[in-house]
Every structure is written in C-alpha cells, then in structure tokens.
Amino acid sequence: SGVYCSPLRLLAHEVYMRMMAAGVSCGLLTGEDRRYPDYSLQDVKPVGYTSTGTPITQVTSCTIEMLPVKLFDVAVIDEIQMISDKQRGWAWTSALLSLRARELHLCGEPSAVPLVKRICEMMDEEVEVREYSRLGELEVSSRSLEGSWKNIRAGDCVVVFSRAEIYGIKNTIEKKTGMRCAVIYGSLPPESRVKQAALFNDPNSDYDVLVASDAVGMGINLSINRVVFTTLEKFDGESVRPISVSQTRQIGGRAGRFNSGVSVGTVTTMQPSDIRALQSSMGTMPPSLDAAGIKPTTSMIEMFSHQFPDVSFSQLWSMFRDIASVDDQYFMCSFDDQESVAREIEKLPLTVSERYQLIYAPVNARDPIVKQCLQTYAAAIAYKRECNIMDVVSLPLGIPTNRETIQIFEQWHRGIT
C-alpha cells in the first residue's frame, strides 16, 4: 500500500490519473474531491477485499492536509521544503512526525535536508540522502523580451503573480501574436486546470502559449520550452516583495523538463530591469531552512479555552500565539486566516471542536460568496439542520464573458467544494 502527499490539488489529481492509467488502483483525497478507483477500467483491479466485500485500494493520492490516518508500506511527501512555509508548513511537519509508513520518501530542495535530519535525529530515525540531477538542460537568457509581447513564442509559459492580470495579459498576447493562450492559476477549478494543461501540452491544439500564476512551480506536468517572468515581485498578503530564490528557481525550472520536447529549457524576463536579478537567483542555492511550522491541536485549544471561558474564540488564537513558546526547531504558523474565519462564525453556538474544524477549512473569508457559504454551512452545523447545496447556491445565468463574472463562478465553485 502507498500514499502520495501533494502540495497542490491539481498535482494530486494528476498523480491519481497517472496511476489509474497505469492500471494501479488509486483513490483521490483532497479538500474538495474524493474519488474511488474506477474498477470499470480494464486493467484496474483492487488488491483485495474487506470482510464486508469492499474493494481495497492500493494507493491514495492526496493533498498533504488530507493525509489518511492509517499504516502504509510506502509514503511519499512532495515539496518537503514547504515545511517552513508560514501558512501551511504545519501540514508537512505533521506528516513527517506522524505519518505511519514502513518507508518514507521526502522529495524537494536540498535546503530542507539539514532541518529534516535534525528532526529525524530527535525521533531516532535514520535518514538517507539521495541527490538526483536534472535530466533536461536549463539556461538563463542574457536578454529579456524588452517589454514587447510580440517576442512571445510558441511553447512559452508567461508567469504572472497577480490573478487580476492573468486574463488581461492573455488577451494582449493573443492580439499581439495571433497565438491562443491557455491559463492556469490557483483558484481555477481543478477540472478546468487539467483541461487547460492538456490543451497547452497537446501539439495538435491551437493553444501555443501558457499564461499562469506561480501554481506552475510545483510539479505540474507541462511541456514548457521557455519561462518568462513578467515581474520578480509578488504581493504576499501584506506588501509587494521580491519572490524568494527558492520560488524563482522552482518556477524557472519548469522550462525544458525531461520529455518536454526541447533539449534545453530557457528562463527569461519580460522587462530588461529584471534580468540581472533573475540571473542572480537562478545561480544561487536557497539557504538551509531554519525551522518547521506547527499549529496547535484541537485538544490544546480546548484546554486553553477552559482557562478563558469568557474570551471569544477568535481572540483565543491571538492569545495562544502570544503565550505559546516552541522549540528552536519549530515556529508557530500564521493564524491570520484562521482568526478571520473565526470572526465570521463567532456568534453561532458551535463547540470548540466544531470551530476548530471550520477555521482550518480551505476558505478565503475575503471572498463575499465564499464567506456567505461558510456562514450558511456553519449555521447548519450549529443548529443541527440539513443543508441542501441547491438552497445555498445561486449561479448566474449564462456563460461568463469577462473577468468579473469568471470570478463570481470561481467563488461559487469554492463555496460549493
């Protein structure tokens, strides 16, 4: 038995599809999608049956936050360097410390090796490090595209860090070059992302260029000849800052991957002012990670809440963050998103355990439609009443024709899933 822990829903879906195509019985488990193996396929067979006759799945492909609590023969945790991510690092730490597997494979940047070794030494676990060379060559261009969209060519992936700009740049490229563009970004529904990736990868389709967010940086199988950064800065939720060396190398490294169709991949920028920074980042190894992210468990928050019965649940989080102390090997992940969700459901008569489950749901409380769905679902839980999705959802009529209507459909999709 085995499990693959993915950093992205799209990548978990891709592994699921590849396993099924290879005849391996594989289940899919993400925050918005649960699928069992399709045993109607000729080569897909269960590895056995339970006492009640239920087929036993050989492999599970999941997002790391949805890791099943069971024993596996082999487990794979992808992008282990995410263990130091300020928002999601706790999921990698939790998997590393608690995943029950006879053999555990960690894939990712060398920058994570010293930290992983230190953590494993504390558990008296043996660590074997294997380094692999990139199969396809990669070069950093000495020239940018000089700010001209006319210099975009077939096989390019144009990286945009603002979701609001993706469709505008797509339209500009199509007008300037006559080539059609596929689009991939994080909030696009998984089914749409898969279709867009397939269109770009298909040499017989009319889609020659990909316009994408940094979601392309993590393992998505794409036939990219050249990566073009429109900028090397990104809004991180607080301010606009340069993207890290790790992010630059990871995204740029998607060019010219093995079997992509070119012998040498290329990385460049749209603006001449960014080319030196790109060359510096691509030629620099990311620094070793200092600490791993963690989060409090349900039982910790329940015990903490008993000490302050008159304090609101959203306030508990900031109090816990201020009071808690952790070992130097770890740090407390950001609670900003959790506090935001907690405030939205504050007045509902929910238990601490129910609130905890809701605040760690993949919810963006800044989206008005998603927030509306969250409040409706939380109320159904609080008052123990049935919640019919069709009573919650009110989809616009007609096909979306602009960015604003597309965003409305995306929000409803997130609200439903």
Side-chain angles (χ1 to χ4, degrees), residues 320-333:
F320 188 94
R321 177 184 56 209
D322 295 339
I323 295 173
S325 60
V326 297
D327 185 275
D328 290 342
Q329 303 277 20
Y330 304 95
F331 68 90
M332 198 73 71
C333 284

Side-chain angles (χ1 to χ4, degrees), residues 28-298:
L28 177 66
L29 183 59
T30 73
E32 62 183 15
D33 199 357
R34 298 190 181 197
R35 301 186 190 183
Y36 296 100
D38 184 359
Y39 293 117
S40 65
L41 299 177
Q42 183 176 0
D43 296 329
V44 179
K45 300 290 188 295
V47 293
Y49 296 88
T50 65
S51 57
T52 59
T54 303
I56 298 174
T57 303
Q58 184 176 2
V59 176
T60 299
S61 179
C62 66
T63 45
I64 194 159
E65 288 89 349
M66 298 295 291
L67 173 64
V69 182
K70 57 181 289 188
L71 178 65
F72 297 96
D73 293 317
V74 178
V76 176
I77 299 177
D78 207 353
E79 305 294 353
I80 187 60
Q81 73 276 1
M82 289 287 289
I83 199 170
S84 286
D85 184 77
K86 291 181 179 179
Q87 278 74 41
R88 299 177 63 204
W90 62 266
W92 277 261
T93 305
S94 177
L96 177 61
L97 295 175
S98 63
L99 204 161
R100 300 174 60 211
R102 295 182 175 89
E103 187 174 315
L104 177 59
H105 293 253
L106 310 178
C107 305
E109 294 179 1
S111 61
V113 171
L115 176 59
V116 168
K117 280 187 172 181
R118 292 197 300 270
I119 293 174
C120 290
E121 284 173 4
M122 296 171 62
M123 299 186 293
D124 197 26
E125 292 282 0
E126 180 182 349
V127 178
E128 179 183 341
V129 179
R130 296 186 182 181
E131 296 185 6
Y132 299 90
S133 299
R134 178 187 169 98
L135 294 177
E137 291 187 38
L138 180 68
E139 66 177 19
V140 182
S141 177
S142 59
R143 296 185 60 186
S144 72
L145 300 194
E146 304 297 331
S148 174
W149 297 113
K150 291 182 179 180
N151 290 327
I152 295 295
R153 63 195 187 204
D156 280 355
C157 172
V158 180
V159 180
V160 185
F161 293 113
S162 170
R163 184 180 67 181
E165 295 179 6
I166 286 179
Y167 283 99
I169 289 175
K170 169 187 180 294
N171 293 336
T172 299
I173 293 173
E174 290 181 339
K175 289 178 181 177
K176 296 287 186 180
T177 67
M179 293 184 292
R180 299 186 70 180
C181 300
V183 294
I184 292 179
Y185 52 95
S187 59
L188 197 66
E191 297 84 359
S192 299
R193 279 178 276 175
V194 170
K195 290 179 180 178
Q196 291 292 304
L199 286 171
F200 176 69
N201 286 338
D202 184 359
N204 297 317
S205 78
D206 294 330
Y207 292 81
D208 297 319
V209 177
L210 177 65
V211 180
S213 71
D214 50 352
V216 300
M218 291 189 181
I220 304 172
N221 188 26
L222 296 165
S223 300
I224 298 170
N225 298 342
R226 182 174 66 173
V227 168
V228 180
F229 286 92
T230 56
T231 178
L232 294 178
E233 294 182 335
K234 179 183 178 181
F235 182 70
D236 65 359
E238 297 178 359
S239 61
V240 177
R241 299 179 183 178
I243 60 174
S244 67
V245 169
S246 175
Q247 288 176 308
T248 306
R249 290 172 58 91
Q250 191 167 46
I251 297 169
R254 305 314 299 169
R257 298 299 289 260
F258 185 62
N259 285 335
S260 66
V262 293
S263 57
V264 180
T266 308
V267 190
T268 189
T269 62
M270 174 57 65
Q271 302 300 332
S273 56
D274 289 327
I275 198 70
R276 286 191 177 181
L278 175 67
Q279 291 170 337
S280 175
S281 291
M282 293 299 294
T284 303
M285 291 299 294
S288 296
L289 306 180
D290 295 323
I294 58 174
K295 71 167 185 176
T297 63
T298 310

Side-chain angles (χ1 to χ4, degrees), residues 363-375:
V363 171
N364 185 349
R366 293 183 294 274
D367 290 345
I369 292 174
V370 175
K371 182 168 67 175
Q372 173 188 328
C373 292
L374 166 69
Q375 293 168 337

